[in-house]
Each structure stands twice: as structure tokens, then as C-alpha cells.
Amino acid sequence: MSTVLTAPLPVHDADPFGHDILENPLPFHEELREAGPVVHLSRYDVYAMARYGQVHAALRNWQGFQSAAGVGLSNFRTEKPWRPPSLLLEADPPRHDAPRRVLAGLLVPRALRRLREHWRAVADDLVDRVLERGTEFDAVPELAEAYPLRVFPDAVGIPDEGRENLLPYGDFLFNAFGPHNDLVAAGAPRAPELSAWVNAQCARDVLADGGFGAQIWAAADRGDITPEQAPLVVRSLLSAGVDTTVHGLAAALHALATHPEQWRRLRSQPQLARVAFDEAVRWGAPVQTFFRTATTDVQVADVVIPGGRKILMFLGAANRDPRRWRTPTHPDPDTFDLTRDPSGHVGFGFGIHQCVGQHVARLEAECLLTALARRVETIEIAGPTRRHHNNTLWAWGSLPVRVRPA
Ligand code: OVM
């Protein structure tokens, strides 16, 4: 007989999806990290990991911590999902592999090179137009939303009409990974209509030639995926590719507007735009959490998580864990610093499910941040900022800024 030594499991009774924590999760994240490598969240009777080492290891261990039972609080084995599961996010090998390979091929840096020149021109034009209207504006709608909503749906190849549905759809989708709280209830009335619109954009005849959508259908023609899978892979692009980049860009704009010395650094070295974006994804993690489900009993540190149980992975907390991020040159993980090497952050996840669109997000950020850095000498917060609460996203509703044109 073998014995496993188990320590008493630390418990936290806070609601991670309550408005206080959604507004500012940082003190709660520290409590979770300090409580232990695995913590029980009594409010939902689920497990949690917030330390970098455990989050990183669990995200690599897709066999032990599956995604196929859903990456939200509800277990697909016992509760019907609100939409057919994603072939990427909510699947594991072998089912996950062909759709992942197809998307990864379309979204690798060399495949995105054809977009760069146009995406730069769109960013330059957008920033010019915003600055023509004045030097005070809300950076959320004017930049963080406007830019991805222009370039990304064009790249997928969907028509202009109905694009205003993309953000409300994403907002509901990311809320739906959490509990059935007030945020989900508020979005539920429009969910069927938004979902029907998104699904309609995934049909072959709707998607423009040459776009990512048409290329996914071409992969089905080649037999790389089935014709039944193609619309769901297009749906993943429209689901995962908008709100994430909007709030990643918003996080970067907020960070730069509140750290003038870092803005000066970016202006003098525009090639730091990509580092600035990754540091913002580390520091301001737009995707805060995803669940996994223990496939069998899994031991983590001195705790055994029973098979079938849900574990909430705190990506944003891991991204500021001093156990990983306190270094001799950069002792404080809570500082936003372009001289830090942010690589290894888990803001895009890690392992086989790591964000397949991360190169698209970085290209959007590079284009927008360099366009702004070339035209703007200083950027500062000009009024009260407002968070937008979502069960998964750490989002901005409003970022009033004042700029001094260069
Ligand atoms: C998907 C999907 C939806 C939301 C998020 C995501 C962050 C993927 O439908 O595949 O990844």
C-alpha cells in the first residue's frame, strides 16, 4: 500500500466573480498565492491555483487537467453548455489537434507578414483621425476598440454589417465561463440573437476570398479538418479574437498613460512596442482566469485534487508571483517596466492551449502603439477611469486620456 502525505487544504471564502474583486483583484490574488500552492474556494466548492509554478505546470499537464469538460465553472459532463463546445478551447487531443494545426498555420508570424503594411496604414490613419478631433478622448472606444474592430473582422473576411455584435457576444461568452451571476443574467436576453449572428458569419458563402475564414474552409477542402468542423473553427476566431485584443490594447494604453517614463522609453525605442504589449499582458492580464477539470486524482504539491473537480487557474496572479518575477534587476513584479523580460508570462496561457492568436494580437499592438508613439509626445489620464466588469476579462470601460501631439 502506498501512502500520499496530504496537508490540510487552505480555504478562501471570497467570491472571485464578485464586483469588489473584479474591480481590483490584486489584493485577493496575493492572499491566494500566500495561502498555499492549492486553495479551496468554499463559495463554489472548487480548487484554485495562483502561484506561477503550479499554474504553469498545470497548464502544461493537459492529460491531468483537461479542457474537454469545459474551461468555465460548469462541467459539460453534468450541465449542457450554452453553445456547442469550441473545438480548440474546450477540447483535448486527439480531437483538438487538427483544428489547432489549421489555425496555427494561418496565424504564424510568416503568414501574417502580408497583413503588416495594411495594418500599419490603418493604425496611422486611425490615430491621425483621432488627433484631428482633439487632444482629449476616451482611449477605450477610440483606440482599443476601434482598431481591432477594423482590422480583425476584415482579416477574417466577414461583412461590415452587424460587427457591433462582436463585442457584446464576446462579453457574454467570457462572462459565461463564470458562475450564473448578475453579469450572466444581464447578458442572457441577447445571447441567442448574438450567437445566431456569429454562427451565420461562419458559413462559407459569407466569408470573403483570401481571409482567414475562407482559408479555414480551404483547409476543409484539403481534408485537414472536416466540413462540419470548419464553421466552428471560424467561430473560435470571432470568439477569441476581439475582446481579448481590445482589452489587451486597453491594458497597454492604461499602463503607458500611467507610466510616463515608460512612454518616453517607447518613444525613443519604438521597437519596444511588442515588449510593451507583452509586459501589459503580464501586468494587466486581460484574460484573468480559466478553469480546468481534474481528469483523475492529481497530486499538486502536497494536495490531491480528486478526479472530476474543477480548478480555477489565476493567470493574472501567476503573472505577478514574486516566486517567479522577483529578480535581482527587477525586484518588484507589480511594476510595469519595459526593461523587464516578460517572456514566460501566462497571460496567453501555456502548453497545448496557449493562445493560437497571440501573433495576431502582437501585430495589432505593434501597429497601434508605434502609430501612437510616433505622433504623441505625452499621454496621461485626463479624468475618472472606469473598469468594465466581466467574469473572465480584466477589462476597461473608459480611459479618458489627454495627449500632447509630437
Ligand atoms: C473559442 C474561444 C472562445 C473564447 C476564448 C478562447 C481565449 C477561445 O471559441 O475557441 O480563447
Side-chain angles (χ1 to χ4, degrees), residues 50-74:
R51 293 186 185 174
Y52 181 88
Q54 278 73 37
V55 169
H56 191 264
L59 292 176
R60 287 168 59 104
N61 181 7
W62 58 267
Q63 296 96 333
F65 297 104
Q66 62 168 319
S67 292
V71 297
L73 175 61
S74 92

Side-chain angles (χ1 to χ4, degrees), residues 46-246:
V46 297
Y47 294 77
M49 298 181 197
R51 293 186 185 174
Y52 181 88
Q54 278 73 37
V55 169
H56 191 264
L59 292 176
R60 287 168 59 104
N61 181 7
W62 58 267
Q63 296 96 333
F65 297 104
Q66 62 168 319
S67 292
V71 297
L73 175 61
S74 92
N75 191 323
F76 289 179
R77 304 273 141 84
T78 54
E79 228 185 308
K80 187 176 143 66
W82 72 279
R83 58 170 203 168
S86 163
L87 302 179
L88 290 134
L89 183 72
E90 296 155 333
D92 292 306
R95 290 185 56 239
H96 163 267
D97 297 339
R100 170 80 190 200
R101 239 188 330 266
V102 166
L103 261 196
L106 297 182
L107 305 179
V108 283
R110 58 157 294 135
L112 301 180
R113 284 201 298 236
R114 67 184 174 93
L115 296 169
R116 177 186 248 113
E117 200 187 337
H118 176 59
W119 282 17
R120 279 186 169 258
V122 173
D124 290 347
D125 181 62
L126 174 68
V127 174
D128 282 340
R129 284 163 187 259
V130 168
L131 295 180
E132 270 167 28
R133 290 202 302 271
T135 55
E136 284 193 27
F137 56 89
D138 190 336
V140 172
E142 304 286 345
L143 295 176
E145 292 182 354
Y147 185 64
L149 280 175
R150 173 90 252 144
V151 293
F152 186 69
D154 276 355
V156 176
I158 67 168
D160 285 327
E161 201 184 322
R163 288 184 185 191
E164 69 281 1
N165 291 325
L166 286 167
L167 284 173
Y169 177 79
D171 191 45
F172 181 79
L173 166 68
F174 283 99
N175 274 327
F177 295 121
H180 294 286
N181 61 10
D182 58 318
L183 290 168
V184 174
R190 290 200 66 202
E193 159 218 341
L194 296 169
S195 197
W197 178 82
V198 166
N199 292 342
Q201 310 314 305
C202 301
R204 169 167 228 157
D205 58 318
V206 170
L207 294 158
D209 288 350
F212 295 138
Q215 293 180 71
I216 289 166
W217 278 100
D221 292 342
R222 290 194 303 271
D224 295 345
I225 51 173
T226 69
E228 291 73 35
Q229 290 175 316
L232 280 169
V233 177
V234 180
R235 193 193 68 176
S236 281
L237 285 182
L238 297 176
S239 299
V242 183
D243 302 62
T244 49
T245 47
V246 165

Side-chain angles (χ1 to χ4, degrees), residues 377-400:
E377 191 170 311
T378 63
I379 178 167
E380 61 187 6
I381 300 294
T385 60
R386 181 170 47 79
R387 284 282 177 184
H388 172 77
H389 293 183
N390 180 284
N391 285 334
T392 301
L393 304 169
W394 201 20
W396 285 106
S398 180
L399 288 172

Side-chain angles (χ1 to χ4, degrees), residues 6-10 38 302-303:
T6 56
L9 183 61
V38 183
D302 48 13
V303 174

